Amino acid sequence: MTTPPKPLAVLLSPRRSAVEAARAVGASTLVLAPDLSKPGVREAVEAADDAMTVQWMDHSRLMMSIGHLANFPARISIFGFAEASALAAARANEALRFPGNPHAAVAYLTDKAALRGKVNQLTGAPVRFEHCDRAAHLEAVALRVGFPCVAKPRTGFGGQDVHLLRDVADAAFLAAGLPPEPALIVEEFLEGPEFSVEAHSLAGAHTVLAVSRKHTSGAPESRETGYDLPAELDEETTEAIHQLVVATLNTAGHRSGPSQTEVILTSAGPRLVESHAHPGEDPISDLLLLARGTDLAALAIATALGLPRPAGGTRERYAGVRQLRLPPGVLVAVEGIEEALALPGVTDVEISVPLGGHVPETTSRVAGHGCVTAVTDGPQELEAVLRKAQDVLRPVVVPVSANEEEHSAA
């Protein structure tokens, strides 16, 4: 008697943890990436059953590489756990009739203007906005929306190219540096604390797994400085956020798998920032696992492949992460790492700048130069241990002259 083949999880440029999650729920794994030797992907390949070099953002190349799997005698699904890979996976799953989220739903969530307009119609939480498809019209559009307002790409993600416009001068300055047809959305500035909502969907039913509090540097840069999961919210506010998230996912036609929805709690209640058909960035997924015992990748893979769903929500703890920022210069050493790791509750200290490397400027792409992560039994204890860990870390950075910086950049 032959043993039927295991269900197959095809993973687009995943983290190693996603490969391990797939194997843990009983799936075999195939990693696809444009460069299998790239740091991060290389570690995933080491844990996978198989791997192929594929430019998966090119749909025709992806189909040529895996089209034969349509005849494979086992359940298969393609997974992408980031913005571009989730869209590519949904399109490929639909073409090959594999289980997964509808491509139209994932695409809808990437179009901030379309989503904003529909959510405004279907909820009691409208946000003023307009499209701006010509740089020459930006000043007039911003005036109609009202200052302060925010201009960002209609299909951007990760906080990239988001601009706070405080007045006409800001709008004129931004317009001068834009291409003639920039495809922007300009919307009112939402003031209040920010939250990330992680959810999982099955056959159109949405389950909110956690709401995390996002910490930022504040306007105008609003750089991300960390997260706390779960957020401390009263029952009424929590329910209002849940309702907004469910309405947003229904509006997009989101049917299955993970999602992240970003919300700002204004004085008039929660308002949508944007939503995505994939888990939140790595720190949030890690915090969800630490605090609640829920592995989003394992849950998504098991659900799509019809495998037993992993136990989740088995813990009731508080997890948090804080970005580390280093002064400009060359990083010579970081003292105190062992001391920080020895603090009760600290689970990880990561420094992303190699010793001897130049410390990059913090931007929307480079939120920090590392991070410290902790898990505790209460929110006050969490804040205290994260602060203590940051205090004991002592980076040794040698300043460099402007000429040396220019030479290094060249």
Side-chain angles (χ1 to χ4, degrees), residues 154-226:
R154 286 181 59 168
T155 57
F157 62 94
Q160 297 176 19
D161 299 320
V162 177
H163 303 274
L164 174 65
L165 308 180
R166 290 158 293 195
D167 50 36
V168 171
D170 280 350
F173 180 80
L174 176 59
L178 292 173
E181 299 180 357
L184 301 176
I185 176 175
V186 180
E187 56 191 18
E188 67 174 288
F189 173 70
L190 299 173
E191 188 169 3
E194 299 185 37
F195 299 89
S196 175
V197 186
E198 312 311 305
H200 183 264
S201 304
L202 176 61
H206 315 296
T207 301
V208 173
L209 302 172
V211 179
S212 58
R213 170 69 189 273
K214 179 180 179 180
H215 298 278
T216 72
S217 60
E221 293 88 1
S222 293
R223 295 192 185 107
E224 178 187 303
T225 60

Side-chain angles (χ1 to χ4, degrees), residues 181-273:
E181 299 180 357
L184 301 176
I185 176 175
V186 180
E187 56 191 18
E188 67 174 288
F189 173 70
L190 299 173
E191 188 169 3
E194 299 185 37
F195 299 89
S196 175
V197 186
E198 312 311 305
H200 183 264
S201 304
L202 176 61
H206 315 296
T207 301
V208 173
L209 302 172
V211 179
S212 58
R213 170 69 189 273
K214 179 180 179 180
H215 298 278
T216 72
S217 60
E221 293 88 1
S222 293
R223 295 192 185 107
E224 178 187 303
T225 60
Y227 288 91
D228 292 338
L229 187 154
E232 288 192 274
L233 294 167
D234 60 62
E235 188 174 334
E236 182 180 354
T237 302
T238 300
E239 179 59 26
I241 289 175
H242 285 202
Q243 289 179 1
L244 177 58
V245 169
V246 169
T248 298
L249 297 176
N250 283 339
T251 295
H254 186 81
R255 298 286 300 167
S256 63
S259 63
Q260 180 205 27
T261 303
E262 297 172 58
V263 172
I264 289 180
L265 185 58
T266 72
S267 57
R271 296 293 183 267
L272 173 69
V273 178

Side-chain angles (χ1 to χ4, degrees), residues 7-160:
L8 175 63
V10 180
L11 303 160
L12 305 183
S13 298
R15 297 171 70 194
R16 181 187 179 100
S17 59
V19 177
E20 293 172 341
R23 300 190 69 173
V25 299
S28 57
T29 54
L30 170 62
V31 168
L32 307 182
D35 182 358
L36 298 180
S37 65
K38 184 178 179 181
V41 174
R42 182 175 62 246
E43 290 77 10
V45 170
E46 291 171 355
D49 295 298
D50 201 357
M52 293 172 58
T53 300
V54 178
Q55 296 287 345
W56 50 257
M57 290 188 71
D58 184 323
H59 180 69
S60 61
R61 290 190 183 184
L62 179 57
M63 289 297 96
M64 287 176 63
S65 299
I66 63 170
H68 65 282
L69 293 178
N71 299 317
F72 192 67
R75 194 172 174 92
I76 301 175
S77 189
I78 305 163
F79 300 91
F81 294 120
E83 194 83 357
S85 59
L87 191 62
R91 186 178 181 189
N93 279 329
E94 205 162 85
L96 297 172
R97 299 188 178 182
F98 292 162
N101 212 23
H103 176 254
V106 181
Y108 205 101
L109 288 175
T110 65
D111 189 333
K112 295 176 177 61
L115 184 65
R116 174 72 74 200
K118 204 68 174 176
V119 170
N120 276 357
Q121 292 175 17
L122 299 178
T123 71
V127 174
R128 296 191 309 277
F129 83 100
E130 284 196 25
H131 301 176
C132 182
D133 295 325
R134 293 187 178 276
H137 297 166
L138 180 59
E139 291 179 49
V141 169
L143 277 167
R144 289 195 296 270
V145 171
F147 295 108
C149 58
V150 173
K152 57 187 180 182
R154 286 181 59 168
T155 57
F157 62 94
Q160 297 176 19

